[in-house]
Amino acid sequence: MDTPIESSKTHSNDLPDRVAWLKGGSAVCNPPAKAVPAPWRLVLLGAPGVGKGTQADILCERLGACHLSTGDVLRAASKSDGCGLSPALQTALEGMRRGELVTDETILNIVGERGRCLHCSGGFVLDGFPRTVTQAEALEKLLKREEVELDAVFDYELPIDEIVARLGGRRVCPKCKAVYHTTGHPPKSEGICDKCGGALVQREDDRPEAIRTRMRVYAESTAPLLDWYGQRGLLVTVPARGTPDEIYARTWERCRTARPGILTPTGTLGGG
Ligand code: AP5
């Protein structure tokens, strides 16, 4: 399938960040992403609830990169009044609530409209995309056309019972997107976001039935990407036990071994 995208290189100086990513179209980021000397371009893989979003936030904060989550784009769309949503997107959002994947075509349209985000001067962390081999092939073409290369694909791994515990306790702020956990990372006041004072909620797809569907779909559709990226020499497997900071540190330890020749943010060259 061809990625429906026009070249966006002419926009590369606009320094877009999540404002453009979440809104798409002609949205311009404000404030712009900060420029960094060596932008990192990463993909995060792993089962639903393994902690990709949590790691993406840490990576973006420390690397100056932009967090590009397709799940966040879809959730932002579902918060709109629905008038501007195409029938395809409305159907996609209904499936998402049940834990099913949105169609490749819809996702590739969403990403295609936001191609200029791939030129973010701070680099990017793709979270939740690609999720199928078709999407990975489309991303590969898109990156080639945009003359941008991935540095690594981090795959976070955790036993299923620990993942289910993470998902069951997750609470999110619909206003600022902050993520909490009822026991692992509780807010200072129960049910209230520390950052913006918003009322925390449970995601609709964190109900037990939707979690089961998401796990099945992950095994069928997304797990094959591990081989796909492994064959391209980009895959870095990271055990996702421990605190978020421990996992962040482990990510770069693993990266040094799996991606020899890469200068990590800790300033150490890989090579095993
Ligand atoms: P998406 O938003 O991408 O969700 P997901 O992949 O299911 O992942 P989650 O956001 O549930 O979990 P996470 O791994 O980010 O974990 P988190 O950091 O929050 O997608 C949602 C839906 O959108 C999909 O089901 C699909 O319908 C659709 N969609 C999106 N992209 C698509 C695509 N490309 N193609 C088709 N459909 C698409 O952490 C989870 C909890 O654990 C939190 O409470 C957190 O505080 C806690 N936690 C995190 N780290 C730790 C730690 N180290 N220790 C203890 N607790 C931790």
Side-chain angles (χ1 to χ4, degrees), residues 138-210:
L139 176 65
E140 190 172 56
K141 264 193 215 168
L142 171 58
L143 291 171
K144 199 169 173 190
R145 197 179 315 173
E146 298 291 316
E147 297 176 17
V148 171
E149 279 187 25
L150 287 181
D151 295 297
V153 175
F154 297 151
D155 169 45
Y156 292 100
E157 295 195 336
L158 198 66
I160 184 92
D161 51 331
E162 294 183 45
I163 291 182
V164 171
R166 284 187 184 180
L167 283 176
R170 174 164 58 186
R171 299 292 180 271
V172 296
C173 175
K175 274 167 77 182
C176 75
K177 315 283 173 242
V179 178
Y180 299 87
H181 191 275
T182 47
T183 55
H185 174 40
K188 288 182 192 127
S189 302
E190 195 182 334
I192 306 292
C193 179
D194 294 346
K195 293 183 183 164
C196 74
L200 302 181
V201 298
Q202 185 164 32
R203 264 172 49 176
E204 286 179 273
D205 60 353
D206 279 348
R207 287 172 293 109
E209 200 182 310

Side-chain angles (χ1 to χ4, degrees), residues 55-264:
Q55 287 305 310
D57 282 342
I58 298 176
L59 286 160
C60 289
E61 186 194 321
R62 299 186 188 173
L63 302 177
C66 193
H67 181 181
L68 308 184
S69 155
T70 40
D72 281 350
V73 173
L74 293 164
R75 280 184 289 278
S78 73
K79 295 280 172 301
S80 70
D81 58 12
C83 296
L85 299 184
S86 66
L89 194 48
Q90 288 186 19
T91 307
L93 294 174
E94 282 159 26
M96 180 182 168
R97 285 179 200 115
R98 292 191 295 269
E100 293 158 10
L101 285 190
V102 171
T103 63
D104 288 334
E105 191 184 359
T106 301
I107 290 293
L108 294 177
N109 272 318
I110 285 173
V111 175
E113 280 171 12
R114 293 161 172 80
R116 63 182 174 167
C117 289
L118 301 176
H119 292 285
C120 195
S121 63
F124 59 79
V125 176
L126 275 170
D127 166 14
F129 175 83
R131 234 175 172 102
T132 64
V133 170
T134 301
Q135 292 180 20
E137 287 167 351
L139 176 65
E140 190 172 56
K141 264 193 215 168
L142 171 58
L143 291 171
K144 199 169 173 190
R145 197 179 315 173
E146 298 291 316
E147 297 176 17
V148 171
E149 279 187 25
L150 287 181
D151 295 297
V153 175
F154 297 151
D155 169 45
Y156 292 100
E157 295 195 336
L158 198 66
I160 184 92
D161 51 331
E162 294 183 45
I163 291 182
V164 171
R166 284 187 184 180
L167 283 176
R170 174 164 58 186
R171 299 292 180 271
V172 296
C173 175
K175 274 167 77 182
C176 75
K177 315 283 173 242
V179 178
Y180 299 87
H181 191 275
T182 47
T183 55
H185 174 40
K188 288 182 192 127
S189 302
E190 195 182 334
I192 306 292
C193 179
D194 294 346
K195 293 183 183 164
C196 74
L200 302 181
V201 298
Q202 185 164 32
R203 264 172 49 176
E204 286 179 273
D205 60 353
D206 279 348
R207 287 172 293 109
E209 200 182 310
I211 291 175
R212 275 196 295 278
T213 303
R214 288 159 68 199
M215 293 301 172
R216 177 181 52 74
V217 167
Y218 171 79
E220 286 169 8
S221 303
T222 309
L225 287 182
L226 303 182
D227 276 349
W228 200 87
Y229 279 117
Q231 285 160 13
R232 284 156 179 77
L234 286 167
L235 192 71
V236 179
T237 302
V238 185
R241 274 218 173 92
T243 65
D245 272 338
E246 286 166 351
I247 298 163
Y248 176 82
R250 192 178 302 129
T251 299
W252 296 113
E253 281 163 28
R254 294 291 174 126
C255 191
R256 280 196 287 275
T257 310
R259 301 280 290 122
I262 275 204
L263 186 63
T264 71

Side-chain angles (χ1 to χ4, degrees), residues 10-22:
T10 51
H11 300 289
S12 60
N13 292 328
D14 291 347
L15 303 177
D17 66 8
R18 273 168 72 85
V19 177
W21 179 255
L22 291 175

